Amino acid sequence: MRLPEIPWTVPLSVRLQSGTNRIFASVYDALDFLEHEWPIRHGEGYERAVVACRGALNRSVPSAVAREAFIGACLEAGMATSAVAAHYHARSGPHGNKPLA
């Protein structure tokens, strides 16, 4: 069963270790990456991010806290992060019709 989407107000761009950029627009996106594609599955930041994202999906942790924990895990793993421009929308891409709220 797919967990509910909890979008972030401001999506996050992460420069992966391969050098490519990837956009994370929701708590679920971040948790899926942490659990299935994360390059190093240990570390305080990684553990904190997994717990925070799971908590956000269960509505016991604010999504902003999960986002900050994910940023911390990315920095711990040596992956740079930056906010994505406000005109980006997760479903329609960077030139979509729906701005983020």
Side-chain angles (χ1 to χ4, degrees):
M1 177 178 171
R2 184 171 159 91
L3 296 172
E5 283 290 332
I6 299 176
W8 288 329
T9 303
V10 179
L12 190 64
S13 176
V14 176
R15 181 168 294 279
L16 305 179
Q17 291 176 332
S18 65
T20 61
N21 286 328
R22 184 157 167 194
I23 304 295
F24 294 88
S26 71
V27 174
Y28 182 83
D29 290 347
L31 182 61
D32 185 59
F33 184 70
L34 287 163
E35 292 184 335
H36 298 107
E37 300 178 59
W38 196 252
I40 48 174
R41 294 179 190 223
H42 57 41
E44 187 176 317
Y46 169 79
E47 296 295 331
R48 186 178 309 120
V50 169
V51 169
C53 287
R54 286 181 183 158
L57 290 172
N58 290 322
R59 312 271 188 210
S60 62
V61 172
S63 65
V65 170
R67 185 179 183 277
E68 291 302 314
F70 183 64
I71 290 170
C74 290
L75 296 176
E76 178 181 78
M79 295 184 283
T81 64
S82 61
V84 174
H87 66 274
Y88 175 86
H89 188 269
R91 296 197 195 293
S92 56
H95 303 290
N97 296 326
K98 298 183 203 175
L100 287 175

